[in-house]
Amino acid sequence: QSPPGIYGVGKTHLVSALANQLVETLNAAVSINGYVVAQPRPVAFTTEPTLMARIRATFNDGSRETDEVIYDQLERVRLLIIDDVGKDPPRDLSFIQRVWYRLIDARYRSERPVILTTNLTLDELEGHVGGSVADRLREMCGRKGIVTMKSESYRRGK
């Protein structure tokens, strides 16, 4: 999280570095009884606008994937990173909150971690994702799990 109106402090860079480290260090396959078994990728990285557009597209006739396939992929991955939460004003807040509930509740029940980046305040985030989702996120993060990054934009210093 960075304070509202503060951009370019490195949230995406930091979570991208973490994702790359996990991809490089976690085995992609294991051997079980002499057979090589593929492991699911260790991390999924997307942005909220991309995710919402992807799920909305499943409702179109002739869509190549279903929303169930998307949810299943995002619920099973070891670490889910969603960048730019609240970046775009929602067209349909109830749709966004239903998506968030489905994702976070599944990860909460299976005890799988999630990382979100946002420029929203905690109160704004709760209004965006919904109260029950925010409550689950608070429990999942613990007291020290919410990091506020304060700095000036790296891009402006170039």
Side-chain angles (χ1 to χ4, degrees), residues 1-4 6 9-11 14 116-122 125 143-151:
Q1 171 188 10
S2 62
I6 304 295
V9 298
K11 297 180 302 295
L14 183 62
L116 309 179
T117 69
T118 187
N119 282 40
L120 300 176
T121 66
L122 294 177
L125 180 64
R143 293 186 188 271
K144 297 181 181 179
I146 298 173
V147 176
T148 300
M149 297 177 68
K150 296 179 182 178
S151 183

Side-chain angles (χ1 to χ4, degrees), residues 26-114:
L26 293 177
N27 291 330
V30 294
S31 176
I32 300 175
N33 297 327
Y35 295 96
V36 176
V37 179
Q39 292 279 56
R41 61 186 170 168
V43 62
F45 188 108
T46 190
T47 66
E48 184 191 62
T50 300
L51 174 61
M52 296 303 166
R54 186 176 168 204
I55 292 174
R56 274 192 195 98
T58 66
F59 302 124
N60 297 334
D61 289 339
S63 175
R64 291 185 290 168
E65 65 182 345
T66 66
D67 62 332
E68 290 300 318
V69 167
I70 295 170
Y71 286 122
D72 187 57
Q73 290 171 350
L74 298 178
E75 290 168 6
R76 292 175 182 255
V77 70
R78 291 185 204 174
L79 172 63
L80 175 60
I81 300 173
I82 303 178
D83 195 24
D84 289 333
V85 175
K87 184 79 157 190
D88 295 334
R91 289 189 282 175
D92 181 354
L93 187 58
S94 65
F95 170 77
I96 286 176
Q97 289 180 348
R98 284 191 309 271
V99 170
W100 276 112
Y101 182 80
R102 175 88 185 261
L103 285 174
I104 298 304
D105 184 61
R107 295 193 69 79
Y108 173 82
R109 285 184 285 107
S110 63
E111 298 181 358
R112 293 184 186 261
V114 62

Side-chain angles (χ1 to χ4, degrees), residues 153-158:
S153 172
Y154 173 78
R155 294 178 199 103
R156 290 184 186 180
K158 285 186 165 185

